[in-house]
C-alpha cells in the first residue's frame, strides 16, 4: 500500500512511466489552451484552439538514475501498523478518515538505503527515549520527524525536529546530548553521519530565521557536484531531490534560454543558485531572488567557490523585490527570465511584474505541479491585457514544453514551459 501511495507507477516499465507523464502533461496543457481560447483575442498572433496544442510538447526526458535517487527524504512519526506511536516512516491513509498509519519505507524504490537506515536508527532512539513523540501539537509530546540529506559521495546530514512544549532549556539540552551520544557512540554510529542538526519548533514548519537549526555535531553544510559546479547546501536550503535529473533539467533550461553571451538572466526562486551559476557563462549578468536567507548565503558562497563573478543574489520575497528591481532592468536589451517556484506557484504580483516588463521577451517557467497554481500563473502570463488586474503588458505565448522526469516511479515530473512575445 505504501509503494502504491508514494510511488504509484513503480509496477510499470520505465519507458511506460515516461509515456504516462507525457500524456498527463499533454492533458494539462490542453486544459490551459481551452481556458485561454475562451477569452482569446481573435486578432492574436497565435490563435488558441481547443483540442490541440499550438506548440510542441517534447517527449519526457528520462532521469539517468531510476532507483534510490532522492538526496533528501523527510520521515514522519506516528502510530505504526502495530499501534506503536514511535514509528518512523511515511503515511498511508488520510487524516479526514482517521485511518493514518505510519509505515516503514524499506520497500520504496526512490529512497536510498542510507536514508532508510537513518530512519530506522531514529526510531530505535525514540523508543529508548523517555520522551513521547509529538503526533498532534495540542496533545503534547516532543520527538517529531527527521530529514536526511545525502550527496553523490555518501555524505549524510540528519535534521531532527523537536517540539519543546514546556521543557526547560536544561531539560532540552539533556535530550540533545542523548541524541548525539546515540549517533556518535551508540547504535546510530552505523549511519556514519557527517552532520546532525536539531530544530526546536512549536509550529509545523519553521524557517532557520524563526528558529535556528542547531548543529549538534559535524559539518555545517553538505556539498554536491552538478554540471561541473561544486555547490554548498545548507540544512533548510532548496535543492532538487534528484541530482542527476537536475543536471538534465538545468541543461535543458540552458539550451532553451538561447542565451548568447549578452544580456541579463533574472533567476526568480533561485535556491542555492544552481540555475544562474550554470548559465553564468552564457550571459553578462545573473540576478537571483530567493526567500530563504540561508539559500542566498549558499548561492553567494557558491559563486565565490566556483569563481563566478557576474552573479548577484538578493534575499527576500519575490513579490516585494521584483517590482523594486524592474525599473532598473526595463532598458535591458536582452533580459531572460527563469522562474522555478514551489508548488504554490508565483505570487500574483510576480507574474504581473514579469508580464508588464516589456524588456522580457523570453521566459522559462519550471513547474513541479502544472495542474495546480502554475495554471493560474500561465493564464496571467498569456491572457489578453486586463486593466482591472493591471496586466497591461503584451501577452506571452507558450512556444515549447519539455517534461523532465525528476521523480521516477511517482506520478510527478518537472515541466519546462517556454514563453515568448
Amino acid at each position: 500500500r505504501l509503494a502504491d501511495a508514494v510511488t504509484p507507477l513503480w509496477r510499470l516499465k520505465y519507458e511506460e512511466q515516461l509515456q504516462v507523464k507525457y500524456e498527463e502533461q499533454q492533458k494539462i496543457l490542453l486544459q490551459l489552451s481551452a481556458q485561454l481560447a475562451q477569452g482569446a483575442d481573435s486578432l492574436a498572433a497565435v490563435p488558441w484552439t481547443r483540442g490541440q496544442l499550438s506548440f510542441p510538447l517534447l517527449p519526457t526526458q528520462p532521469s539517468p538514475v531510476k532507483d534510490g535517487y532522492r538526496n533528501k527524504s523527510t520521515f514522519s512519526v506516528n502510530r505504526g501498523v502495530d499501534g506503536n506511536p514511535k514509528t518512523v516512516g511515511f503515511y498511508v491513509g488520510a487524516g479526514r478518515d482517521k485511518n493514518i498509519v505510519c509505515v516503514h519505507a524499506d520497500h520504496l524504490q526512490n529512497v536510498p538505503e542510507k536514508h532508510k537506515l537513518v530512519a530506522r536508527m531514529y526510531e530505535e532512539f525514540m523508543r529508548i527515549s523517555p520522551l513521547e513523540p509529538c503526533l498532534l501539537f495540542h496533545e503534547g509530546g516532543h520527538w517529531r520527524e527527521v530529514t536526511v540529506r545525502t550527496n553523490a559521495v555518501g555524505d549524510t546530514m540528519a535534521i531532527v525536529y523537536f517540539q519543546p512544549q514546556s521543557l526547560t532549556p536544561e531539560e532540552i539540552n539533556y535530550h540533545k546530548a542523548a541524541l548525539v551520544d546515540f549517533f556518535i557512540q551508540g547504535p546510530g554510529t552505523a549511519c556514519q553521519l557527517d552532520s546532525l542538526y536539531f530544530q526546536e519548533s512549536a509550529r509545523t514548519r519553521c524557517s532557520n530565521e524563526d528558529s535556528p537549526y542547531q548543529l549538534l555535531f559535524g559539518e555545517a553544510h553538505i556539498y554536491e557536484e552538478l554540471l561541473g559546479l561544486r555547490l554548498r547546501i545548507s540544512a533548510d536550503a532548496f535543492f532538487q531531490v534528484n541530482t542527476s535529473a537536475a543536471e538534465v533539467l538545468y541543461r535543458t533550461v540552458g539550451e532553451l534560454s538561447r542565451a548568447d553571451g549578452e544580456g541579463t538572466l533574472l533567476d526568480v526562486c533561485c535556491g542555492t543558485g544552481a540555475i544562474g551559476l550554470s548559465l553564468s557563462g552564457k550571459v553578462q549578468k545573473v540576478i537571483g531572488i530567493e526567500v530563504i536567507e540561508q539559500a542566498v548565503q549558499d548561492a553567494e558562497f557558491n559563486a565565490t567557490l566556483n569563481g563566478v563573478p557576474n552573479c548577484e543574489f538578493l534575499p527576500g520575497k519575490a513579490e516585494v523585490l521584483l517590482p523594486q528591481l524592474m525599473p532598473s532592468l526595463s532598458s535591458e536589451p536582452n533580459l531572460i527570465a527563469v522562474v522555478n517556484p514551489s508548488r504554490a506557484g508565483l505570487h500574483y504580483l510576480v507574474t504581473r511584474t514579469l508580464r508588464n516588463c516589456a524588456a522580457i521577451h523570453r521566459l522559462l517557467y519550471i513547474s513541479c505541479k502544472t495542474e495546480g497554481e502554475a495554471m493560474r500563473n500561465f493564464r496571467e502570463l498569456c491572457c489578453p491585457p486586463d486593466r482591472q488586474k493591471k496586466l497591461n503588458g503584451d501577452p506571452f505565448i507558450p512556444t515549447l514544453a519539455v517534461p523532465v522526469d525528476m521523480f521516477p516511479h511517482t506520478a510527478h515530473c518537472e515541466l519546462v514551459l517556454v514563453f515568448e512575445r
Side-chain angles (χ1 to χ4, degrees), residues 361-394:
H361 298 285
R362 192 171 186 83
L363 185 152
L364 278 66
Y365 193 119
I366 305 169
S367 174
C368 60
K369 190 178 181 183
T370 47
E371 73 277 16
E373 289 302 304
M375 188 72 81
R376 170 181 57 81
N377 293 159
F378 299 161
R379 291 195 300 269
E380 292 163 353
L381 290 170
C382 299
C383 68
D386 188 326
R387 290 184 179 180
Q388 186 174 0
K389 295 181 178 180
K390 298 182 180 179
L391 296 171
N392 303 319
D394 290 340

Side-chain angles (χ1 to χ4, degrees), residues 22 48 66 70 114 154 156 163 171 203 224 294 296 331 353 356 394:
Y22 174 88
W48 295 99
K66 282 79 175 175
R70 291 192 67 93
K114 189 64 170 290
T156 306
Q163 163 60 277
E171 289 171 322
R203 292 185 290 174
E224 188 60 278
Q294 267 199 324
V296 174
S331 60
T353 303
N356 292 343
D394 290 340

Side-chain angles (χ1 to χ4, degrees), residues 162 164 167-177 198 200 214:
F162 187 83
L167 291 181
T168 66
E170 292 74 19
E171 289 171 322
I172 294 174
N173 286 337
Y174 173 83
H175 294 289
K176 286 195 292 187
F198 184 87
E200 302 170 35
Q214 305 168 40

Side-chain angles (χ1 to χ4, degrees), residues 10 87 288:
W10 70 277
T87 300

Side-chain angles (χ1 to χ4, degrees), residues 268-269 318-319 339-348 350-351 365-369 372-378 380:
V268 182
C269 309
E319 59 268 28
V339 299
N340 185 17
S342 67
R343 293 186 178 187
L346 294 172
H347 190 281
Y348 170 71
V350 176
T351 50
Y365 193 119
I366 305 169
S367 174
C368 60
K369 190 178 181 183
E373 289 302 304
M375 188 72 81
R376 170 181 57 81
N377 293 159
F378 299 161
E380 292 163 353

Side-chain angles (χ1 to χ4, degrees), residues 141-185:
H142 302 279
W143 299 114
R144 295 175 52 212
E145 65 263 35
V146 61
T147 293
V148 187
R149 302 191 86 143
T150 50
N151 61 13
V153 297
D155 296 332
T156 306
M157 174 190 289
I159 308 163
V160 171
Y161 301 93
F162 187 83
Q163 163 60 277
Q165 305 288 4
S166 59
L167 291 181
T168 66
E170 292 74 19
E171 289 171 322
I172 294 174
N173 286 337
Y174 173 83
H175 294 289
K176 286 195 292 187
L179 180 68
V180 171
D181 183 69
F182 180 87
F183 280 102
I184 286 185
Q185 301 183 45

Side-chain angles (χ1 to χ4, degrees), residues 210-223:
D210 294 330
S211 179
Y213 285 71
Q214 305 168 40
L215 181 63
L216 300 188
F217 78 80
E219 301 295 326
H221 305 93
I222 199 165
Y223 289 81

